[in-house]
Each structure stands twice: as C-alpha cells, then as structure tokens.
Amino acid sequence: MNLILQGLNTDRPTIERIAGMADTQRVVPIAAHAFRCEGVRYTDALKERIDAECLAAKLDYAFVEPGRKLSDFKLVTMDMDSTLITIECIDEIADMQGLKPQVAEITEAAMRGEIEFCESLTRRVALLKGLDASALQRVYDERLALSPGAENMLGAVKAAGLKTLLVSGGFTFFTDRIKTRLGMDYTHSNELEIVDGKLTGRVLGGIVDGDEKKNTVERVCAELGISPKQSIVMGDGANDLKMMRVAGMSVAFRAKPVVRAQADVALNFVGLDGILALFD
C-alpha cells in the first residue's frame, strides 16, 4: 500500500517523521508539495494515527493501492456548491434579500445532515420569493469563484479520457453557465421558477436531493456503458453521501465531518487537483 502525503506547504522533516510512523520503505517526491510513501502496511490503528498527525501538520493523506491510474476511471462527478465552486449560491442569492444569515443557517444544518435536503431547499427557496431574477447574474458575476485546483484537475481528467458530470442541489442558472465555461459533459440541478422577472419562491419539477444525485450518477454511468465503480465522486455535504457510496473512489473536499468520515479520501487543505497525486 502507498501513503500519499500532500499539503500547501510541506517540509521534508515532517514528511519523513510521518512516513517513519508508517514504516515506509521509500519516500518519493511526486509533485512540488506531494510525496508517495511506498510499502506501507495499512491498519485501522495506523490510519487513526496518521489522521491525527496530518491534521496537526495541515497535510492531506490517502492510502492507495500502487499502480492505480486515473485512466482506470471513466467518469468524474462533482457537487457544485462548496466543492467545484467556493460559495453556496443560495446563500449569496439570499444576501441580495438581506436574508443570508437565516438561509445560511438552514444550509449548514442540511450539509451536516440535521435536516432533510428537500425540506431545507424548500424552506430556503421560499425565502427568496419576490427577489428580482437579475440577482442570479450578479451572484455569478460578482461572487462565484472556482475552488483551488479546479481547472487543473478538470484538464487532467479530460486528458486521461474521463467524462465529467456536475450534479447539484443548486440551480440550473449556475450549472448551465459552468458547464459552458469549463466544457463539462453533463449537468443536473434544480430549476428556480421565475415569473415576470421575479423568483416565486418555488422550484420547478422534482428536487435534486441525495437520492437523485445517486440516481444521476448511475444513469450517466449506464449511458456510458460503465459501472459506477469506474467513477470518482467528489462532494462536501451529507446530501452527497449516497452518490459517493456507489463510486469507485469517493473524495470529500473541504467537507463536513460526517462526509470526511465516510469518504475514501479527504482533501482538507490542498485543491481539487490533489486527487491527481493519488495515481501513478
């Protein structure tokens, strides 16, 4: 087994110390701030120790099977809000109404798994009733930013022949624009109802919740003629867990504790392109 260690700032003594804890046979630099510790014997106890040490040192880690290549996968699926992008769009839309604290509180509770996603989205969208639809463009233009490493990661996965899917409990206004901007293959999200240029406080059709996210991953995999185990799924909130469980590799990005605990890989410090260090 290999242990991958990476961070925004790494020093060799810290890497060597953590590698020694894992009885590493060899430490190989694989990028500017990433190292592969080879010949590690994995145990749950070792993982617990490495987890604590890496958190203290602000390093990300992953135990991976040697020889695994990015091209072994065929699809990368990403959540949008707080994963592919740095913001929660609905919170920023609410800010245009002076309601960001109320909406953000519901958002956080949903991401922690304390409120069912459908209920939380219905409650949050209802608070937006009467807002001029031009606020959506303002959020996109003024506040939406890609997460660190997003474009580098997408460039690498496309070069390796993987398809890309953006599936979100957010809104089509944003996913459609990101799809065009980044050249993604598939998107699926919620559509806000707009009448006479104003938000009605409702969404059109069914809500894209955790079940629908999982179903979307499985549906796209079926269209591609692949198994969900040939997909990588990246997310940050509780509503991402179901689609993460069907994947061949699940990645928690700057995620809530409930998600980090269940993911194969957690990236707490490096960017989305941190997944690239996990493959030979």
Side-chain angles (χ1 to χ4, degrees):
M1 183 75 77
N2 291 335
L3 170 64
I4 307 299
L5 300 173
Q6 55 183 325
L8 298 178
N9 295 292
T10 55
D11 63 89
R12 191 63 185 238
T14 300
I15 296 297
E16 294 287 355
R17 178 175 60 81
I18 295 175
M21 292 172 53
D23 292 328
T24 300
Q25 294 179 3
R26 188 168 68 131
V27 178
V28 180
I30 52 177
H33 299 289
F35 298 83
R36 182 173 63 242
C37 306
E38 299 178 346
V40 174
R41 292 188 178 182
Y42 174 87
T43 66
D44 290 340
L46 175 61
K47 182 179 186 298
E48 187 173 336
R49 291 178 62 204
I50 296 297
D51 185 84
E53 290 291 327
C54 286
L55 185 62
K58 294 187 177 181
L59 294 174
D60 288 322
Y61 73 93
F63 291 93
V64 297
E65 292 291 343
R68 201 169 203 188
K69 301 186 186 312
L70 185 58
S71 58
D72 293 339
F73 294 91
K74 304 302 177 187
L75 175 70
V76 171
T77 298
M78 290 147 280
D79 170 55
M80 180 176 68
D81 296 86
S82 297
T83 302
L84 184 60
I85 64 175
T86 60
I87 64 170
E88 292 285 336
C89 288
I90 194 167
D91 294 358
E92 302 307 318
I93 297 168
D95 198 28
M96 305 293 179
Q97 287 278 62
L99 294 170
K100 185 173 181 176
Q102 296 94 310
V103 170
E105 183 180 354
I106 301 171
T107 300
E108 281 294 305
M111 293 303 97
R112 292 192 300 264
E114 296 167 4
I115 304 174
E116 286 295 328
F117 184 80
C118 287
E119 176 193 346
S120 76
L121 187 69
T122 300
R123 286 169 54 186
R124 287 177 289 165
V125 171
L127 292 170
L128 305 179
K129 182 177 180 179
L131 180 65
D132 195 288
S134 62
L136 304 179
Q137 189 67 47
R138 284 186 58 199
V139 169
Y140 182 81
D141 291 339
E142 299 172 13
R143 304 191 182 189
L144 187 148
L146 298 176
S147 291
E151 291 179 287
N152 190 35
M153 180 271 293
L154 286 169
V157 301
K158 290 177 187 178
L162 284 71
K163 298 294 185 181
T164 55
L165 165 63
L166 180 62
V167 58
S168 172
F171 307 115
T172 55
F173 184 91
F174 302 101
T175 57
D176 288 351
R177 283 158 177 76
I178 290 173
K179 179 182 181 183
T180 300
R181 174 177 170 182
L182 299 178
M184 303 186 74
D185 297 297
Y186 305 93
T187 62
H188 185 46
S189 57
N190 299 299
E191 184 175 359
L192 288 168
E193 184 179 57
I194 300 172
V195 176
D196 296 329
K198 304 283 187 181
L199 302 187
T200 67
R202 295 187 294 269
V203 297
L204 296 171
I207 290 175
V208 180
D209 60 2
D211 286 318
E212 180 60 17
K213 285 187 169 188
K214 177 181 76 71
N215 293 341
T216 302
V217 171
E218 293 174 335
R219 182 170 64 250
V220 170
C221 286
E223 288 180 18
L224 295 173
I226 65 173
S227 163
K229 295 301 180 185
Q230 292 174 281
S231 68
I232 299 169
V233 173
M234 312 176 77
D236 74 296
N239 65 320
D240 297 319
L241 283 170
K242 290 183 178 179
M243 69 172 178
M244 292 171 75
R245 290 184 189 123
V246 302
M249 176 181 286
S250 59
V251 180
F253 182 72
R254 313 283 170 90
K256 302 297 181 287
V258 66
V259 181
R260 293 200 304 267
Q262 298 182 50
D264 296 323
V265 177
L267 300 179
N268 301 315
F269 305 107
V270 301
L272 287 170
D273 52 354
I275 70 165
L276 305 180
L278 308 183
F279 303 100
D280 288 350

PDB file of all heavy atoms in Angstrom, residues 76-91:
ATOM      1  N   VAL A  76     -15.794  11.481 -13.763  1.00  0.00           N
ATOM      2  CA  VAL A  76     -15.633  12.247 -12.526  1.00  0.00           C
ATOM      3  C   VAL A  76     -16.912  13.034 -12.298  1.00  0.00           C
ATOM      4  O   VAL A  76     -17.348  13.791 -13.174  1.00  0.00           O
ATOM      5  CB  VAL A  76     -14.434  13.207 -12.583  1.00  0.00           C
ATOM      6  CG1 VAL A  76     -14.439  14.135 -11.365  1.00  0.00           C
ATOM      7  CG2 VAL A  76     -13.136  12.435 -12.617  1.00  0.00           C
ATOM      8  N   THR A  77     -17.516  12.828 -11.135  1.00  0.00           N
ATOM      9  CA  THR A  77     -18.731  13.545 -10.754  1.00  0.00           C
ATOM     10  C   THR A  77     -18.404  14.510  -9.631  1.00  0.00           C
ATOM     11  O   THR A  77     -17.735  14.141  -8.664  1.00  0.00           O
ATOM     12  CB  THR A  77     -19.819  12.560 -10.286  1.00  0.00           C
ATOM     13  OG1 THR A  77     -20.155  11.690 -11.366  1.00  0.00           O
ATOM     14  CG2 THR A  77     -21.061  13.296  -9.811  1.00  0.00           C
ATOM     15  N   MET A  78     -18.901  15.738  -9.754  1.00  0.00           N
ATOM     16  CA  MET A  78     -18.664  16.764  -8.740  1.00  0.00           C
ATOM     17  C   MET A  78     -19.964  17.380  -8.282  1.00  0.00           C
ATOM     18  O   MET A  78     -20.861  17.634  -9.091  1.00  0.00           O
ATOM     19  CB  MET A  78     -17.782  17.883  -9.319  1.00  0.00           C
ATOM     20  CG  MET A  78     -16.348  17.505  -9.585  1.00  0.00           C
ATOM     21  SD  MET A  78     -15.703  18.404 -11.021  1.00  0.00           S
ATOM     22  CE  MET A  78     -16.398  17.412 -12.350  1.00  0.00           C
ATOM     23  N   ASP A  79     -20.064  17.605  -6.983  1.00  0.00           N
ATOM     24  CA  ASP A  79     -21.042  18.527  -6.454  1.00  0.00           C
ATOM     25  C   ASP A  79     -20.588  19.932  -6.862  1.00  0.00           C
ATOM     26  O   ASP A  79     -19.418  20.137  -7.178  1.00  0.00           O
ATOM     27  CB  ASP A  79     -21.086  18.377  -4.925  1.00  0.00           C
ATOM     28  CG  ASP A  79     -21.894  19.451  -4.249  1.00  0.00           C
ATOM     29  OD1 ASP A  79     -23.075  19.616  -4.614  1.00  0.00           O
ATOM     30  OD2 ASP A  79     -21.354  20.131  -3.367  1.00  0.00           O
ATOM     31  N   MET A  80     -21.519  20.898  -6.849  1.00  0.00           N
ATOM     32  CA  MET A  80     -21.130  22.260  -7.242  1.00  0.00           C
ATOM     33  C   MET A  80     -20.795  23.135  -6.044  1.00  0.00           C
ATOM     34  O   MET A  80     -19.635  23.504  -5.847  1.00  0.00           O
ATOM     35  CB  MET A  80     -22.233  22.918  -8.078  1.00  0.00           C
ATOM     36  CG  MET A  80     -21.887  24.350  -8.512  1.00  0.00           C
ATOM     37  SD  MET A  80     -23.101  25.133  -9.608  1.00  0.00           S
ATOM     38  CE  MET A  80     -24.492  25.330  -8.484  1.00  0.00           C
ATOM     39  N   ASP A  81     -21.796  23.481  -5.238  1.00  0.00           N
ATOM     40  CA  ASP A  81     -21.606  24.465  -4.168  1.00  0.00           C
ATOM     41  C   ASP A  81     -20.643  23.953  -3.100  1.00  0.00           C
ATOM     42  O   ASP A  81     -20.828  22.866  -2.560  1.00  0.00           O
ATOM     43  CB  ASP A  81     -22.953  24.805  -3.536  1.00  0.00           C
ATOM     44  CG  ASP A  81     -23.895  25.471  -4.524  1.00  0.00           C
ATOM     45  OD1 ASP A  81     -24.593  24.734  -5.261  1.00  0.00           O
ATOM     46  OD2 ASP A  81     -23.917  26.707  -4.574  1.00  0.00           O
ATOM     47  N   SER A  82     -19.631  24.742  -2.828  1.00  0.00           N
ATOM     48  CA  SER A  82     -18.590  24.424  -1.839  1.00  0.00           C
ATOM     49  C   SER A  82     -17.732  23.219  -2.232  1.00  0.00           C
ATOM     50  O   SER A  82     -16.934  22.741  -1.427  1.00  0.00           O
ATOM     51  CB  SER A  82     -19.181  24.210  -0.435  1.00  0.00           C
ATOM     52  OG  SER A  82     -19.800  25.400   0.024  1.00  0.00           O
ATOM     53  N   THR A  83     -17.873  22.751  -3.463  1.00  0.00           N
ATOM     54  CA  THR A  83     -16.984  21.707  -3.990  1.00  0.00           C
ATOM     55  C   THR A  83     -16.296  22.246  -5.240  1.00  0.00           C
ATOM     56  O   THR A  83     -15.150  22.669  -5.182  1.00  0.00           O
ATOM     57  CB  THR A  83     -17.735  20.396  -4.277  1.00  0.00           C
ATOM     58  OG1 THR A  83     -18.363  19.929  -3.079  1.00  0.00           O
ATOM     59  CG2 THR A  83     -16.775  19.314  -4.764  1.00  0.00           C
ATOM     60  N   LEU A  84     -16.993  22.269  -6.362  1.00  0.00           N
ATOM     61  CA  LEU A  84     -16.384  22.819  -7.568  1.00  0.00           C
ATOM     62  C   LEU A  84     -16.219  24.339  -7.466  1.00  0.00           C
ATOM     63  O   LEU A  84     -15.289  24.915  -8.017  1.00  0.00           O
ATOM     64  CB  LEU A  84     -17.208  22.468  -8.805  1.00  0.00           C
ATOM     65  CG  LEU A  84     -16.621  22.911 -10.145  1.00  0.00           C
ATOM     66  CD1 LEU A  84     -15.259  22.279 -10.401  1.00  0.00           C
ATOM     67  CD2 LEU A  84     -17.566  22.612 -11.294  1.00  0.00           C
ATOM     68  N   ILE A  85     -17.150  24.971  -6.742  1.00  0.00           N
ATOM     69  CA  ILE A  85     -17.046  26.413  -6.524  1.00  0.00           C
ATOM     70  C   ILE A  85     -16.948  26.690  -5.026  1.00  0.00           C
ATOM     71  O   ILE A  85     -17.278  25.836  -4.203  1.00  0.00           O
ATOM     72  CB  ILE A  85     -18.225  27.177  -7.157  1.00  0.00           C
ATOM     73  CG1 ILE A  85     -19.553  26.798  -6.488  1.00  0.00           C
ATOM     74  CG2 ILE A  85     -18.273  26.928  -8.654  1.00  0.00           C
ATOM     75  CD1 ILE A  85     -20.748  27.599  -6.993  1.00  0.00           C
ATOM     76  N   THR A  86     -16.526  27.896  -4.683  1.00  0.00           N
ATOM     77  CA  THR A  86     -16.220  28.193  -3.284  1.00  0.00           C
ATOM     78  C   THR A  86     -17.437  28.634  -2.482  1.00  0.00           C
ATOM     79  O   THR A  86     -17.369  28.677  -1.250  1.00  0.00           O
ATOM     80  CB  THR A  86     -15.162  29.305  -3.192  1.00  0.00           C
ATOM     81  OG1 THR A  86     -15.667  30.495  -3.822  1.00  0.00           O
ATOM     82  CG2 THR A  86     -13.866  28.888  -3.865  1.00  0.00           C
ATOM     83  N   ILE A  87     -18.534  28.997  -3.142  1.00  0.00           N
ATOM     84  CA  ILE A  87     -19.687  29.558  -2.437  1.00  0.00           C
ATOM     85  C   ILE A  87     -20.858  28.579  -2.404  1.00  0.00           C
ATOM     86  O   ILE A  87     -20.867  27.574  -3.123  1.00  0.00           O
ATOM     87  CB  ILE A  87     -20.158  30.869  -3.094  1.00  0.00           C
ATOM     88  CG1 ILE A  87     -20.656  30.611  -4.533  1.00  0.00           C
ATOM     89  CG2 ILE A  87     -19.068  31.918  -3.059  1.00  0.00           C
ATOM     90  CD1 ILE A  87     -21.355  31.791  -5.175  1.00  0.00           C
ATOM     91  N   GLU A  88     -21.836  28.882  -1.555  1.00  0.00           N
ATOM     92  CA  GLU A  88     -23.161  28.284  -1.616  1.00  0.00           C
ATOM     93  C   GLU A  88     -24.041  29.314  -2.321  1.00  0.00           C
ATOM     94  O   GLU A  88     -24.367  30.370  -1.762  1.00  0.00           O
ATOM     95  CB  GLU A  88     -23.699  27.986  -0.210  1.00  0.00           C
ATOM     96  CG  GLU A  88     -22.969  26.890   0.521  1.00  0.00           C
ATOM     97  CD  GLU A  88     -23.316  25.501   0.007  1.00  0.00           C
ATOM     98  OE1 GLU A  88     -24.418  25.326  -0.569  1.00  0.00           O
ATOM     99  OE2 GLU A  88     -22.478  24.589   0.178  1.00  0.00           O
ATOM    100  N   CYS A  89     -24.421  29.034  -3.564  1.00  0.00           N
ATOM    101  CA  CYS A  89     -25.112  30.035  -4.371  1.00  0.00           C
ATOM    102  C   CYS A  89     -26.374  30.558  -3.690  1.00  0.00           C
ATOM    103  O   CYS A  89     -26.649  31.761  -3.718  1.00  0.00           O
ATOM    104  CB  CYS A  89     -25.459  29.457  -5.744  1.00  0.00           C
ATOM    105  SG  CYS A  89     -24.026  29.230  -6.816  1.00  0.00           S
ATOM    106  N   ILE A  90     -27.137  29.661  -3.080  1.00  0.00           N
ATOM    107  CA  ILE A  90     -28.395  30.103  -2.482  1.00  0.00           C
ATOM    108  C   ILE A  90     -28.150  31.075  -1.323  1.00  0.00           C
ATOM    109  O   ILE A  90     -28.928  32.006  -1.101  1.00  0.00           O
ATOM    110  CB  ILE A  90     -29.257  28.903  -2.034  1.00  0.00           C
ATOM    111  CG1 ILE A  90     -30.685  29.382  -1.736  1.00  0.00           C
ATOM    112  CG2 ILE A  90     -28.637  28.171  -0.853  1.00  0.00           C
ATOM    113  CD1 ILE A  90     -31.693  28.252  -1.600  1.00  0.00           C
ATOM    114  N   ASP A  91     -27.063  30.905  -0.602  1.00  0.00           N
ATOM    115  CA  ASP A  91     -26.743  31.837   0.475  1.00  0.00           C
ATOM    116  C   ASP A  91     -26.434  33.222  -0.085  1.00  0.00           C
ATOM    117  O   ASP A  91     -26.826  34.242   0.498  1.00  0.00           O
ATOM    118  CB  ASP A  91     -25.543  31.341   1.281  1.00  0.00           C
ATOM    119  CG  ASP A  91     -25.828  30.048   2.038  1.00  0.00           C
ATOM    120  OD1 ASP A  91     -26.971  29.548   1.968  1.00  0.00           O
ATOM    121  OD2 ASP A  91     -24.892  29.539   2.688  1.00  0.00           O
TER     122      ASP A  91
END
